[in-house]
């Protein structure tokens, strides 16, 4: 847009929805077309110039593009919710698990899972801080997928993730998962008490 504001242009696009899918972007393009900075917009289907009819058709096309995006967002959210209700995790598997593209479930990562179990066990004793636990688990061989030390922020995220005892948390709602659990809920609850200072 900055380039177009300085130079007269002809824009080539497959369809108008390749240029804008929200009112702000579409309006800016139409404004530049009206100013004469954009001489014309050429798509596979038609040619748009600064005429009343072309502006009307551009409004329609941009409106349809925005509607498509809105509908797509709704459908994606509906699909994610349906997957969660079936006990399937729709995102990248947490540390300790792998995504299974065949079953669409998550499988236990046999190398990482024992470290997750040990990390929860140690922290549940109340004798270790998260920074200390990060170093202890590194010494025990726990690594990120890239081979680095698992930092305290990641450790905290893991320790507060109910996924490990079988519940999937998404947008403030809990869903029971079909995946194999690594810890029991009692251990998870004890860890939460320690983290929150209730223990």
């Amino acid at each position: 847009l900055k380039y177009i504001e300085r130079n007269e242009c002809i824009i080539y696009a497959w369809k108008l929805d390749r240029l804008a899918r929200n009112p702000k972007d579409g309006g800016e393009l139409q404004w530049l077309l009206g100013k004469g900075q954009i001489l014309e917009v050429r798509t596979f289907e038609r040619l748009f110039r600064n005429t009343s009819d072309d502006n009307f058709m551009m409004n329609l096309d941009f409106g349809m593009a925005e509607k498509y995006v809105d509908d797509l967002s709704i459908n994606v959210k509906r699909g994610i919710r349906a997957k969660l209700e079936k006990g399937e995790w729709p995102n990248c598997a947490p540390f300790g698990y792998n995504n299974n593209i065949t079953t669409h479930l998550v499988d236990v990562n046999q190398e990482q899972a024992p470290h997750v179990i040990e990390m929860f066990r140690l922290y549940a004793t109340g004798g270790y801080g998260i920074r200390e636990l990060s170093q202890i688990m590194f010494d025990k061989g726990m690594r990120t997928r890239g081979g680095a030390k698992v930092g305290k922020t990641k450790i905290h995220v893991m320790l507060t993730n109910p996924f490990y005892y079988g519940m999937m948390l998404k947008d403030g709602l809990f869903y029971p998962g079909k995946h194999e659990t690594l810890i029991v809920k009692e251990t998870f609850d004890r860890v939460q008490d320690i983290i929150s200072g209730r223990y």
Side-chain angles (χ1 to χ4, degrees), residues 2 6 8 10-11 39 51 75 100 103-104 108-109 120 138 145 147 155 165 175-176 178 182 186:
K2 287 179 181 177
R6 296 191 304 268
E8 290 184 349
I10 295 174
I11 294 180
L39 301 176
T51 67
N75 290 334
N100 187 321
T103 65
H104 304 291
V108 172
N109 181 312
F120 270 96
F138 180 75
R145 287 185 171 92
I155 295 282
Y165 79 85
Y175 302 85
K178 291 182 178 177
L182 299 184
E186 289 75 16

Side-chain angles (χ1 to χ4, degrees), residues 133-148:
L133 189 62
S134 173
Q135 184 59 49
I136 291 171
M137 295 312 300
F138 180 75
D139 294 340
K140 288 177 175 285
M142 182 173 169
R143 303 286 189 275
T144 65
R145 287 185 171 92

Side-chain angles (χ1 to χ4, degrees), residues 73-102:
S73 175
I74 291 168
N75 290 334
V76 167
K77 289 176 182 175
R78 184 186 301 126
I80 289 173
R81 188 168 59 249
K83 191 167 187 179
L84 287 163
E85 288 169 353
K86 290 192 295 185
E88 302 171 1
W89 184 240
N91 298 328
C92 183
F95 188 92
Y97 293 92
N98 294 319
N99 291 94
N100 187 321
I101 59 173
T102 304

Side-chain angles (χ1 to χ4, degrees), residues 115-134 136-137 152 155-156 158-160 187-197 199:
H115 294 303
V116 174
I117 296 167
E118 177 69 359
M119 180 185 65
F120 270 96
R121 186 191 71 78
L122 289 173
Y123 196 80
T125 65
Y128 305 93
I130 291 180
R131 185 187 299 274
E132 184 183 7
L133 189 62
S134 173
I136 291 171
M137 295 312 300
K152 58 187 181 64
I155 295 282
H156 184 271
M158 292 166 63
L159 289 173
T160 56
T187 300
F188 182 82
D189 289 342
R190 182 176 176 82
V191 165
Q192 305 321 297
D193 287 342
I194 294 170
I195 289 173
S196 64
Y199 172 78

Side-chain angles (χ1 to χ4, degrees), residues 170-182:
K170 185 73 174 173
D171 298 327
L173 298 175
F174 288 90
Y175 302 85
K178 291 182 178 177
H179 58 279
E180 182 180 339
T181 62
L182 299 184

